[in-house]
Amino acid sequence: EKLSLPQSSKVGDLRILAQKSFAQGFLRLVTAEGHVLADPNQSLQAAGLQEGDYLTAIVQQAKMAATDGAFAIWCHGGDRIVTWGRSRSGGDSS
């Protein structure tokens, strides 16, 4: 699928567009050279992307764990964990 963004856009903008286009919440974007586009604040230009470049979107499956009073969700290879619930049960990831 062809995605288009202004050159002034950031990697995070591209990820959001890809997530909406593919109806997938957790994606990892990889360039044809194998570079992972991990920094959402990096400009497309700084990431070395040019018009017509091809990317691979890898769907990451969310994982969830629970205790008696808290939950956590993360993606294998992802860069964040989201927790909620009672802090004494593991629900505080601050």
Side-chain angles (χ1 to χ4, degrees), residues 4-40:
S4 295
L5 286 170
Q7 187 64 29
S8 61
S9 298
K10 299 193 180 298
V11 169
D13 301 324
L14 178 59
R15 180 178 291 140
I16 290 169
L17 181 58
Q19 288 171 330
K20 289 179 182 178
S21 295
F22 299 123
Q24 296 290 330
F26 298 99
L27 292 177
R28 175 166 283 204
L29 300 176
V30 182
T31 68
E33 294 80 25
H35 301 284
V36 176
L37 301 177
D39 182 359

Side-chain angles (χ1 to χ4, degrees), residues 45-83:
Q45 187 175 20
L49 296 178
Q50 298 177 10
E51 185 175 339
D53 280 356
Y54 288 89
L55 298 174
T56 299
I58 301 169
V59 176
Q60 297 179 295
Q61 294 296 320
K63 306 289 185 201
M64 190 166 123
T67 66
D68 63 342
F71 299 89
I73 188 168
W74 72 95
C75 283
H76 178 72
D79 58 356
R80 63 184 181 149
I81 297 174
V82 178
T83 62

